[in-house]
Amino acid sequence: MRLKYNLCFIRKGDQLLMLNRHKSPLLGLWNGVGGKLELEESPYASVLREVREETGILLPEAQFGGIVTWEVDGKPSSGMYVYIAEMPDGAGAAFDKPLETDEGILSLKPIEWVIHPDNQGVAVHVRHFLPPMLNSEVCREYRCIFRQGKLIECLVLPLEESYAVGGN
């Protein structure tokens, strides 16, 4: 099975590069960087391309963290491949101050701030799947269940083999 989207969280020490989006979905909320997979493009190639396009960063590698899927009002909706990467040496200085781009505002944010359970400025599902993803080497599916626009549950499930994309 192929998902439509990818997302990457780029770590610099105890911070993550986050994007405050100018467009829907998630307008005005902080999230990782990513986008849509192009036809015939692997999830890994797609996330490297999206990071380069949205941040200018040429990642030498990214680690597959798992997938996030969502169910909306009882119906499976969509999903994304999620990657974790380290900020390449020398690239982080560009983000010492917030940087305005076409996609939104890029800024380094403390990990503890990003994953704080009461942080309403971060996409709600990020606060649920990111903490275990950052702290585990086991890739899983994080299924977010939304009802009437509210996240009611985030299930942590074994990753089906058809989603295990690994590196390239």
Side-chain angles (χ1 to χ4, degrees), residues 114-134:
V114 171
I115 63 174
H116 193 281
D118 296 328
N119 187 341
Q120 300 299 306
V122 173
V124 66
H125 58 305
V126 169
R127 300 188 314 262
H128 293 272
F129 73 77
L130 191 56
M133 194 178 283
L134 287 173

Side-chain angles (χ1 to χ4, degrees), residues 45-97:
S46 178
V47 79
L48 296 180
R49 176 186 53 77
E50 286 287 350
V51 166
R52 184 182 68 251
E53 289 175 0
E54 292 188 10
T55 69
I57 297 170
L58 299 172
L59 288 177
E61 65 180 357
Q63 297 296 317
F64 180 58
I67 64 168
V68 175
T69 58
W70 44 94
E71 177 184 302
V72 178
D73 297 326
K75 297 179 184 136
S77 178
S78 194
M80 61 188 168
Y81 303 94
V82 182
Y83 291 84
I84 309 293
E86 294 295 325
M87 181 76 71
D89 291 339
F95 307 103
D96 285 343
K97 293 188 282 183

Side-chain angles (χ1 to χ4, degrees), residues 152-165:
I152 60 165
E153 188 174 20
C154 185
L155 304 172
V156 181
L157 306 167
L159 187 66
E160 292 180 25
E161 197 163 318
S162 61
Y163 290 114
V165 298

